[in-house]
């Protein structure tokens, strides 16, 4: 078994266009404070018709390999977590392999369980390396999605799009997982959010999905805490066990969810200590432990599988140097549902990696669009034709239409 496993490098890719949610609120006749304060969201990324999940995932991986060049024959596995694939059978991983002309000597596959898929991909890669099956090779985990709800529905302000590519290896310069198995899991067969075959937009029982998320979090967190205590990872000086973690990044379908999640984790800790479930410092604790990971999700919106990892990327960018050698918690939730609470240690060199430049660039190069243009782009995403004209885009790879039933991609 390898001792140190985790993320050696990561890159993010988000669409060039975004909608300011105060513009959406005005168009829908909603008080903007409901979105900005009630849901805690500010902007959401909008993919154009050439930017499907393949284009986002392939561009994220290209950025990763440009910033962190490795001998491509060392990649032995490419696992993609997504819930917005483009084919019932052919995985996004296979298209990505083709776009980047990666060698044939690798496993390629997708993993699906709603927003948990990115974590499933990361864990599959970590387990493969830890078991020795990788035989010295490295693995790539990608989380990529375009979140879609019906226009005008309560879910509409919680859309977004993006991809995060992670190089997983036994040289984890960014993040060393507490691996194997210092994690807690909780799953149940529920219909809180789903997308039947033939539908582009998800169906969701929104308020119930929040309850399912919090219930799963309670179980997964208790599971992690028991294993962390056994492994002596809980800091004896911490007033409650969750304070042993310098930061906690939660899956964020909308940023207010992280606030609800953190309140639940503290309530579980306090309840299990036999105390009242509030102690008056929830807000301070949230600002210190959680808010730093919300910078990117607040600007990009919900990118389903990628949301948690956008949070982690933003966190490492903003606080990589002060968090070096310190433990952080991660909570991944996929409706339906499954969930995992796990932890990792921030690497010494996290702050100096190319990630910070990548994240800054991703935000700087964006363009604000109006509601009319957003609605036009959403309608165009459904087309199977090549996008008309040559739209300026941050995506190096682009969907170029369907020929003889086969999806084609071009490289800018
Ligand atoms: N000013 C400030 N806050 C306001 C407000 C206003 N004018 N109007 C409403 N709010 C607050 C509400 O109090 C609520 O906060 P709370 O949850 O802390 O009580 C929040 O804004 C949302 O309002 P609500 O009426 O519950 O919104 P909604 O019924 O339209 O939908 C979701 C909210 C999250 C259910 C909906 O966006 C959704 O279905 N999203 C997709 C599913 C999802 O993301 N699930 C998460 C788990 S995976």
């Amino acid at each position: 078994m390898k001792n140190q496993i985790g993320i050696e490098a990561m890159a993010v890719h988000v669409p060039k266009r975004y909608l300011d949610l105060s513009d959406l609120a005005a168009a829908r006749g909603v008080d903007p404070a409901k979105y900005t304060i009630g849901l805690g969201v500010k902007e959401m990324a909008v993919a154009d018709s050439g930017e499907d999940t393949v284009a986002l995932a392939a561009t994220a991986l290209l950025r990763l390999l440009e910033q962190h060049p490795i001998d491509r024959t060392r990649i032995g596995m490419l696992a993609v977590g997504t819930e917005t694939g483009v084919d019932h059978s052919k995985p996004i991983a296979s298209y990505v392999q083709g776009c980047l002309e990666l060698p044939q000597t690798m496993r390629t596959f997708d993993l699906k369980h709603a927003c948990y898929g990115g974590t499933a991909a990361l864990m599959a890669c970590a387990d493969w390396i830890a078991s020795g099956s990788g035989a010295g090779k490295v693995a790539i985990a990608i989380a990529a999605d375009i979140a879609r709800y019906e226009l005008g529905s309560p879910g509409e302000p919680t859309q977004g799009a993006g991809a995060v590519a992670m190089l997983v290896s036994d040289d984890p310069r960014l993040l060393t997982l507490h691996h194997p198995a210092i994690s807690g899991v909780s799953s149940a067969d529920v219909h809180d959010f789903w997308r039947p075959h033939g539908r582009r937009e998800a169906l969701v029982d929104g308020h119930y999905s929040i309850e399912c998320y919090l219930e799963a979090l309670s179980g997964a967190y208790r599971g992690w805490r028991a294993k962390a205590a056994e492994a002596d990872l809980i800091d004896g000086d911490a007033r409650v066990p969750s304070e042993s973690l310098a930061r906690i990044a939660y899956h964020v379908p909308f940023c207010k969810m992280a606030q609800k999640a953190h309140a639940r984790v503290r309530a579980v800790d306090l309840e299990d200590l036999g105390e009242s479930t509030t102690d008056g410092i929830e807000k301070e604790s949230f600002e210190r432990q959680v808010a730093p990971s919300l910078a990117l999700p607040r600007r990009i919106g919900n990118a389903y599988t990628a949301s948690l990892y956008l949070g982690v990327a933003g966190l490492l960018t903003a606080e990589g140097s002060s968090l070096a050698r310190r433990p952080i918690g991660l909570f991944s939730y996929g409706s339906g549902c499954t969930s995992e609470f796990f932890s990792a240690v921030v690497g010494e060199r996290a702050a100096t990696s190319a990630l910070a430049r990548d994240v800054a660039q991703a935000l700087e190069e964006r363009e604000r669009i109006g509601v009319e243009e957003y609605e036009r782009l959403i309608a165009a995403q459904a087309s199977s034709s090549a996008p008309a004209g040559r739209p300026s885009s941050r995506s190096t790879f682009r969907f170029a239409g369907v020929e003889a039933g086969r999806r084609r991609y071009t490289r800018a």
Side-chain angles (χ1 to χ4, degrees), residues 56-118:
L56 294 175
T59 305
L61 180 53
L62 182 68
R63 279 172 198 272
L64 176 73
L65 296 177
E66 281 172 354
Q67 287 158 10
H68 193 85
I70 54 167
D71 172 0
R72 292 181 180 204
T73 62
R74 286 187 60 219
I75 304 172
M77 178 152 136
L78 170 59
V80 178
T82 187
E83 56 179 304
T84 48
V86 296
D87 189 283
H88 287 305
S89 180
K90 189 171 164 66
I92 299 284
S94 160
Y95 285 104
V96 170
Q97 181 190 18
C99 284
L100 276 92
E101 299 175 5
L102 295 175
Q104 292 185 358
T105 48
M106 65 171 72
R107 285 183 181 159
T108 56
F109 56 95
D110 284 4
L111 298 102
K112 181 178 77 178
H113 194 146
C115 302
Y116 176 78

Side-chain angles (χ1 to χ4, degrees), residues 2 15 52 60 102 148 157 161 182 206 230 264 304 312 319 370 375:
K2 304 271 182 184
D52 64 4
L102 295 175
R148 290 192 197 97
I182 301 196
E230 263 174 45
R264 173 59 65 96
Y304 289 162
V312 171
E319 298 195 324
E375 289 180 353

Side-chain angles (χ1 to χ4, degrees), residues 132-370:
S133 296
K137 291 199 169 189
V138 298
I140 302 285
I142 303 178
D145 270 308
I146 300 174
R148 290 192 197 97
Y149 296 95
E150 295 275 4
L151 296 193
S153 72
E156 186 181 25
T158 67
Q159 299 175 103
V164 178
M166 297 172 267
L167 174 62
V168 185
S169 78
D170 57 6
D171 180 16
R173 300 175 195 187
L174 287 190
L175 215 50
T176 303
L177 297 172
H178 283 143
H179 191 272
I182 301 196
S183 86
V185 292
S186 177
S187 306
D189 175 12
V190 291
H191 269 84
D192 59 334
F193 165 109
W194 65 107
R195 189 165 66 90
H197 282 161
R199 282 191 63 96
R200 285 175 54 76
E201 294 84 16
L203 297 175
V204 62
D205 187 344
H207 292 278
Y208 179 54
S209 74
I210 294 174
E211 278 175 42
C212 292
Y213 177 118
L214 294 175
E215 188 59 27
L217 170 60
S218 303
Y221 172 68
R222 281 193 171 99
W224 171 82
R225 195 182 58 189
K227 289 186 182 154
E230 263 174 45
D232 273 339
L233 293 177
I234 303 287
D235 176 359
D237 293 334
R239 209 178 80 71
V240 296
S242 55
E243 283 178 358
S244 304
L245 296 164
R247 301 286 179 271
I248 306 178
Y250 296 96
H251 166 56
V252 271
F254 53 94
C255 290
K256 180 78 161 292
M257 192 66 227
Q259 217 169 313
K260 292 176 191 286
H262 194 58
R264 173 59 65 96
V265 161
R266 288 191 64 83
V268 165
D269 269 346
L270 293 168
E271 190 181 309
D272 294 352
L273 289 169
E275 296 184 15
S276 144
T277 52
T278 59
D279 59 2
I281 61 159
E282 293 81 11
K283 191 165 177 339
E284 181 278 320
S285 157
F286 170 79
E287 291 300 329
R288 177 172 37 89
Q289 283 183 282
V290 184
S293 62
L294 298 180
L296 280 189
R298 201 181 301 286
R299 308 274 313 268
I300 289 159
N302 188 4
Y304 289 162
T305 53
S307 286
L308 171 62
Y309 298 98
L310 287 172
V312 171
L315 177 65
L316 295 180
T317 299
E319 298 195 324
S321 46
S322 59
L323 289 176
R325 297 180 301 282
R326 297 178 73 193
I328 64 168
L330 297 91
F331 176 66
S332 181
Y333 176 78
S335 286
C337 71
T338 194
S339 69
E340 183 156 355
F341 194 106
F342 57 108
S343 51
V345 174
V346 176
E348 301 268 1
R349 281 176 284 176
T352 54
S353 74
L355 182 64
R357 202 175 56 238
D358 193 38
V359 166
Q361 208 179 4
L363 293 176
E364 273 162 22
E365 289 177 0
R366 296 196 314 165
E367 174 190 304
R368 181 171 170 172
I369 56 169

